[in-house]
Every structure is written in C-alpha cells, then in structure tokens.
Amino acid sequence: MSDQPHLQEAFPLEIEEIIFSLAVQTDWPSAKNLILVAKRVYQWLIPQIYEVVVFHGYRYPLDRPRSDSRNLVHHGKYVHHIMLFNGDPRETRLYNRPGVCLTWCPNAYDVALWLTPDQYDKTLVDQLIGRRLTHLSFSFNDFKTAAARYPDISQPISFPYVTHLELINNTPLNHLKELKESFPALTHLAVKIGSGNQLFRSPDILRTWNDQIQVLSWDIGKSVSDPAPEVLARSTYQIQSDDPRIVILAYGQGYVDTWYEDATGGSGRWRVAEETITGYRGLNGTSGS
C-alpha cells in the first residue's frame, strides 16, 4: 500500500474522499481493491466497510465485504450495526463469543443476536445492559435466564434507550408489565405469532405503553416469493382491533437481507411497516391514537 501524491494533484483531498466513498458504496465488491490504492483511501473506507457487519452463513444477495470477527479487535470501533449468528464459523466467520465481539464494538447501537441460549454468557449480558442500544433483536427469555445466573447483576434490568425491539423465538407475552419496565422507551415492537396465536394480545400491548407504540408488527414467518418484507391482509387473521398501528408481516426471502435493509435505511421490516401504517391511516382517515 502506497500513498503517492499523483491523485492529490488532480483533486483536493475532500473531493477525492467523496469519489472513493461513492465508488465503494455503489460497488461493495470493489472495496478489497480500493483500500489498497493508498493509505489515506484505506483510512477513509475502513469506517464505511465496518459500519454494518453481519456474521451469518446466509448472505445472498448481500454484496458487502465479509469480515472475520477477529478483525473487530482493530476495526470494531467503527461498527454501528451488528448481527451475530452462531452457526458454523466456516460459514459465519464468527470465531469469537458474541459478548467478546461486542466489547470490541463500543459504538454499536443496533444489535441482532440470533443465538442459541448457551451463547448468553455474563460478558454478553454485561455488554447489553451497559450500552445505549436503540435497536435490539434477541430472545428476551434467554437473556433473562442468563442474567438470573449472575447475582451481581442488578435487577430489574432495563434498556432505557431501545426504541425498536424484535422478540425472537416465539417469546410469550404473559408479562407485559415486566416487558414495559425493561423497555420503557419502546416505539416499535415486533413479535412472532408462533404456534400459539398471540394476536389477541394486540390491544393489551398498545395500552401497556400508553399509546407510545407506533408500530406493532406481528411476524408470520418468511415470504417464499417476495425478496422484500410482505404485508399480509389483516382480514386473514383474528385481530380483535382495527388499530392502524398493527401490521402482519412476512419477512423477505432472506431474514438477513431484511435486517440489513433496515440497518442501511432501505426497505426493511420497520420501513415497510411504517409505510403500511401511513397508507392505512390515509385511506381510512384515522389517527390511530
């Protein structure tokens, strides 16, 4: 890697940085070559490359450069959005415990933990409750079970900054008051419908947060035909409410892609749900509050 001055003679550094940034954002596969152009280009592009990192075996059609979790030791400070899935490390490239990875990513505020229960160790629990997360996708039950194993962790546990929460693994909704105490700032909530239809809890959920909830997304599974999240007809399901904030949604063909779209400001689940609610309100002339 060199730092030759010939490009600096053609463009001011500010313009040159913009050019390389646009180049990598429009053609992510070229990143591995662009960072070798010069030291300064490497320094410009590494923060962009590591802003969103995904450790999951399934990546199609994502074209963002893949990362080895061990690289987070040096570049984790640039990470804002991170997904951790503990599959085969040869496929996920997750060679470290999730909690350890988060210690290397002090600025991450959007975290997806698609993990087995054994991955919830004390390091991970400490990392989750010790930072200003705004977006979280995880198993609340697995987290609570892990936290209970460590007496030195104060109870009750609260995530005061989380506004967007996805509860995975068919989390039961039997203790809404506890959920509210743990997530007092919630505005967007996604829950799997699961084998036991919990849709009847929709009014209870909306009341629990005193109309604070803007989106209540019920996930029905994965769409088999649409690469983007698919909004399903409310009339097909027994929802004892006509509140426009309730959305029935099937993930796109790839769960990873849907999460990635949200992380990068694209048409992920949250955006699709918000646009659906806005359209529903406009069509029916309702406020939803």
Side-chain angles (χ1 to χ4, degrees), residues 80-96:
H80 292 156
H81 312 263
I82 183 169
M83 174 193 288
L84 298 160
F85 176 84
N86 62 303
D88 187 337
R90 293 171 297 181
E91 298 177 355
T92 65
R93 300 193 183 182
L94 181 62
Y95 294 100
N96 307 90

Side-chain angles (χ1 to χ4, degrees), residues 96-173:
N96 307 90
R97 299 281 294 185
V100 172
C101 289
L102 288 184
T103 66
W104 297 330
C105 304
N107 300 310
Y109 56 82
D110 179 2
V111 176
L113 301 173
W114 296 0
L115 307 171
T116 51
D118 61 288
Q119 297 296 306
Y120 283 80
D121 55 18
K122 189 174 188 299
T123 302
L124 180 56
V125 173
D126 284 337
Q127 284 297 309
L128 289 176
I129 63 179
R131 59 176 64 213
R132 297 173 68 99
L133 297 176
T134 60
H135 292 61
L136 182 58
S137 173
F138 79 151
S139 169
F140 190 41
N141 282 351
D142 291 342
F143 170 82
K144 289 192 301 179
T145 300
R149 294 198 298 263
Y150 309 109
D152 57 322
I153 295 178
S154 60
Q155 303 287 343
I157 294 172
S158 178
F159 296 87
Y161 306 103
V162 171
T163 57
H164 293 62
L165 173 66
E166 177 185 33
L167 297 175
I168 67 174
N169 296 346
N170 298 329
T171 301
L173 299 174

Side-chain angles (χ1 to χ4, degrees), residues 8-264:
Q8 295 184 39
E9 296 173 358
F11 299 102
L13 287 179
E14 295 81 3
I15 301 300
E16 187 181 334
E17 180 178 359
I18 292 173
I19 291 173
F20 278 103
S21 295
L22 291 174
V24 74
Q25 289 175 22
T26 55
D27 183 16
W28 282 110
S30 69
K32 61 180 180 295
N33 296 321
L34 290 177
I35 60 176
L36 299 177
V37 170
K39 182 178 180 180
R40 65 186 181 281
V41 178
Y42 177 89
Q43 294 171 338
W44 291 334
L45 297 186
I46 283 295
Q48 298 181 49
I49 292 172
Y50 280 89
E51 182 180 8
V52 181
V53 291
V54 175
F55 298 99
H56 199 293
Y58 175 84
R59 290 187 57 81
Y60 181 83
L62 300 185
D63 54 7
R64 202 177 187 96
R66 298 196 64 180
S67 176
D68 183 318
S69 65
R70 293 167 290 197
N71 293 338
L72 297 177
V73 174
H74 303 290
H75 304 311
K77 61 185 176 182
Y78 302 118
V79 173
H80 292 156
H81 312 263
I82 183 169
M83 174 193 288
L84 298 160
F85 176 84
N86 62 303
D88 187 337
R90 293 171 297 181
E91 298 177 355
T92 65
R93 300 193 183 182
L94 181 62
Y95 294 100
N96 307 90
R97 299 281 294 185
V100 172
C101 289
L102 288 184
T103 66
W104 297 330
C105 304
N107 300 310
Y109 56 82
D110 179 2
V111 176
L113 301 173
W114 296 0
L115 307 171
T116 51
D118 61 288
Q119 297 296 306
Y120 283 80
D121 55 18
K122 189 174 188 299
T123 302
L124 180 56
V125 173
D126 284 337
Q127 284 297 309
L128 289 176
I129 63 179
R131 59 176 64 213
R132 297 173 68 99
L133 297 176
T134 60
H135 292 61
L136 182 58
S137 173
F138 79 151
S139 169
F140 190 41
N141 282 351
D142 291 342
F143 170 82
K144 289 192 301 179
T145 300
R149 294 198 298 263
Y150 309 109
D152 57 322
I153 295 178
S154 60
Q155 303 287 343
I157 294 172
S158 178
F159 296 87
Y161 306 103
V162 171
T163 57
H164 293 62
L165 173 66
E166 177 185 33
L167 297 175
I168 67 174
N169 296 346
N170 298 329
T171 301
L173 299 174
N174 299 327
H175 305 286
L176 289 177
K177 182 179 179 182
E178 178 190 11
L179 195 63
K180 168 69 181 300
E181 292 174 348
S182 298
F183 297 94
L186 210 59
T187 59
H188 292 60
L189 174 63
V191 188
K192 284 184 177 294
I193 290 180
S195 55
N197 192 327
Q198 302 187 88
L199 283 169
F200 71 94
R201 302 304 303 272
S202 296
D204 296 334
I205 294 173
L206 296 173
R207 281 195 298 268
T208 298
W209 272 266
N210 297 321
D211 295 324
Q212 182 177 300
I213 296 291
Q214 299 172 17
V215 174
L216 175 55
S217 174
W218 290 99
D219 296 342
I220 197 68
K222 183 167 65 173
S223 171
V224 295
S225 59
D226 197 337
E230 180 183 1
V231 178
L232 305 178
R234 294 162 59 101
S235 58
T236 308
Y237 301 89
Q238 297 178 355
I239 304 178
Q240 297 177 1
S241 173
D242 60 356
D243 194 299
R245 293 171 291 174
I246 303 171
V247 177
I248 311 294
L249 200 74
Y251 263 82
Q253 288 182 32
Y255 290 95
V256 178
D257 304 324
T258 299
W259 180 88
Y260 179 82
E261 285 294 315
D262 273 321
T264 56

